[in-house]
Structures are given as C-alpha cells and as structure tokens.
Amino acid sequence: DDRHRGSRFSIIVSKFYSSHGTNWPKACLVTILLALLFFYLFTASLSKVSSNLSIYGTAEFFTDFLPYFPQFINPLHRIDFMQHISALGPWSALLDFFSRILVSIGIFEIVRSFRKHVRH
C-alpha cells in the first residue's frame, strides 16, 4: 500500500541504525561508520585530491584529512570547511548532502536509544 511506504521505510532505517531504538552502541557504530565512509568519499571528491589506497595515501588521509572528521560529523558544518586544502569537486555537494542526512538520522537514533534508558 502506497500510503504506508514512508512508515515502512522509517521502520527499516530504524532497524538498521539501532534495532528500533533499543541499541545505542549499534546506533553510534553505524553512524560513525557511515560518516567515515562519506568523509572518505567527500575528501576524494575534492578537486585537488586524488584517491590513493597505498600506504602513503592512507598515511596522508590519517594525518592531513582525518583531523577534519569531527567538523564533518557535525550536520551544521560549512560545506567549504576544508577550503584551504582544496576547492570542492563536482560531486562534493551531493556527497555532503547525503552525509548530512545519514549523520542526522544516526544522531536521532542515538538520542532515541538513550531515551529508552531513562523512561520508567
């Protein structure tokens, strides 16, 4: 039934993130892993950055880019928060948009899961 498509989608998302608001460690882990994936894709999408999976490229990611991860995980960050490293690439805005949605859902699920612990 098309009337319940949104409800079904939210139930599936909630199960994926936090087992329907009952598992806050899972919600934290899923949120961090999705944010890390999108952070990697976002940094690879920057115009002056090339994706390099070698040991040198991995070390560069950890030293030059990973310090920006706390800013990235904040859904209210500026899109050009890494502007002194590189300008945005053609896919940067789209990846940033989807990452904000996924991180925001994750934050909601974390809060929702914690609220289950304070109810009596």
Side-chain angles (χ1 to χ4, degrees):
D1 191 332
D2 287 341
R3 294 178 299 155
H4 303 293
R5 184 177 295 149
S7 295
R8 286 190 188 115
F9 179 74
S10 66
I11 289 169
I12 291 168
V13 168
S14 180
K15 180 178 170 106
F16 173 74
Y17 270 91
S18 67
S19 301
H20 305 294
T22 62
N23 190 344
W24 66 266
K26 180 180 177 184
C28 292
L29 182 65
V30 169
T31 303
I32 295 296
L33 290 176
L34 286 172
L36 276 170
L37 172 68
F38 273 86
F39 181 69
Y40 176 77
L41 294 172
F42 178 79
T43 56
S45 76
L46 297 174
S47 65
K48 295 180 182 171
V49 176
S50 61
S51 182
N52 183 351
L53 297 176
S54 69
I55 292 175
Y56 172 76
T58 304
E60 181 184 27
F61 177 77
F62 280 103
T63 57
D64 296 345
F65 299 116
L66 203 57
Y68 290 97
F69 182 68
Q71 291 178 52
F72 183 79
I73 204 165
N74 177 358
L76 301 176
H77 68 265
R78 291 176 47 113
I79 192 167
D80 61 349
F81 70 102
M82 295 175 73
Q83 67 186 355
H84 69 283
I85 290 180
S86 174
L88 298 175
W91 293 99
S92 299
L94 184 64
L95 289 166
D96 183 65
F97 174 74
F98 284 122
S99 70
R100 288 175 197 251
I101 291 171
L102 294 174
V103 168
S104 297
I105 291 170
I107 292 169
F108 171 79
E109 289 293 333
I110 292 167
V111 171
R112 180 176 174 223
S113 298
F114 270 113
R115 288 188 62 182
K116 299 256 181 190
H117 294 287
V118 296
R119 293 184 193 154
H120 296 285

Coordinates of all heavy atoms in Angstrom, one line a residue, residues 13 15 17 20 23 34 37 63 73 75 79 93 105 114:
V13 N 14.9 1.7 8.3 CA 16.1 2.6 8.7 C 16.3 2.5 10.2 O 17.5 2.3 10.6 CB 15.8 4.0 8.3 CG1 16.9 5.0 8.9 CG2 15.8 4.2 6.8
K15 N 15.6 0.0 12.2 CA 16.1 -1.3 12.5 C 17.6 -1.4 12.1 O 18.4 -1.9 12.8 CB 15.4 -2.4 11.7 CG 15.9 -3.8 12.0 CD 15.1 -4.9 11.2 CE 15.8 -6.2 11.3 NZ 15.3 -7.1 12.2
Y17 N 19.8 1.2 11.9 CA 20.7 2.0 12.7 C 20.7 1.5 14.2 O 21.8 1.5 14.8 CB 20.1 3.5 12.7 CG 20.7 4.3 11.7 CD1 20.1 4.4 10.4 CD2 21.8 5.1 11.9 CE1 20.6 5.3 9.5 CE2 22.4 5.9 10.9 CZ 21.8 6.0 9.7 OH 22.3 6.8 8.7
H20 N 15.5 -0.6 16.2 CA 14.3 0.1 16.6 C 14.4 0.9 17.9 O 13.6 0.9 18.7 CB 13.1 -0.9 16.7 CG 12.9 -1.7 15.4 ND1 12.5 -1.1 14.3 CD2 13.1 -3.0 15.2 CE1 12.4 -2.0 13.3 NE2 12.7 -3.2 13.9
N23 N 19.2 -0.1 20.8 CA 20.7 -0.5 20.9 C 21.5 0.7 20.5 O 21.9 1.0 19.4 CB 20.9 -1.6 19.8 CG 22.3 -2.2 20.0 OD1 23.2 -1.7 20.6 ND2 22.4 -3.4 19.4
L34 N 29.2 5.1 8.7 CA 28.6 5.8 7.6 C 29.3 7.1 7.4 O 29.6 7.5 6.3 CB 27.1 5.9 7.7 CG 26.3 4.6 7.5 CD1 24.8 4.9 7.8 CD2 26.5 4.1 6.0
L37 N 32.7 6.6 5.9 CA 32.6 6.3 4.5 C 32.4 7.5 3.7 O 33.1 7.8 2.7 CB 31.5 5.2 4.3 CG 31.2 4.9 2.8 CD1 32.4 4.2 2.1 CD2 29.9 4.1 2.7
T63 N 46.8 11.7 8.5 CA 47.5 12.9 9.0 C 46.9 14.2 8.5 O 46.7 15.2 9.3 CB 49.0 12.9 8.7 OG1 49.1 12.8 7.3 CG2 49.7 11.8 9.4
I73 N 31.3 15.5 10.9 CA 30.2 14.7 11.5 C 29.2 15.7 12.1 O 28.1 15.2 12.4 CB 30.8 13.7 12.6 CG1 29.8 12.6 12.8 CG2 31.1 14.4 13.9 CD1 30.4 11.4 13.5
P75 N 26.3 18.0 11.5 CA 25.5 18.2 10.3 C 25.4 19.7 10.0 O 25.0 20.1 8.9 CB 24.1 17.7 10.7 CG 24.4 16.8 11.8 CD 25.6 17.2 12.5
I79 N 30.1 23.8 4.1 CA 30.5 22.9 3.1 C 31.9 23.1 2.7 O 32.6 22.2 2.2 CB 29.5 23.0 1.9 CG1 29.8 21.8 0.9 CG2 29.7 24.3 1.2 CD1 28.8 21.6 -0.1
A93 N 29.2 18.5 -3.3 CA 28.0 18.9 -2.6 C 27.0 17.8 -2.5 O 26.3 17.7 -1.4 CB 27.4 20.1 -3.5
I105 N 20.2 11.3 10.8 CA 19.4 10.2 11.2 C 20.1 9.4 12.3 O 19.5 9.0 13.3 CB 19.1 9.3 10.0 CG1 18.2 10.0 9.0 CG2 18.5 7.9 10.5 CD1 18.0 9.2 7.7
F114 N 19.0 6.3 23.7 CA 19.3 6.7 25.1 C 18.1 7.0 25.9 O 18.0 6.7 27.1 CB 20.3 7.9 25.1 CG 21.7 7.5 25.1 CD1 22.5 7.8 24.0 CD2 22.3 6.9 26.2 CE1 23.9 7.4 24.0 CE2 23.6 6.5 26.2 CZ 24.4 6.8 25.1

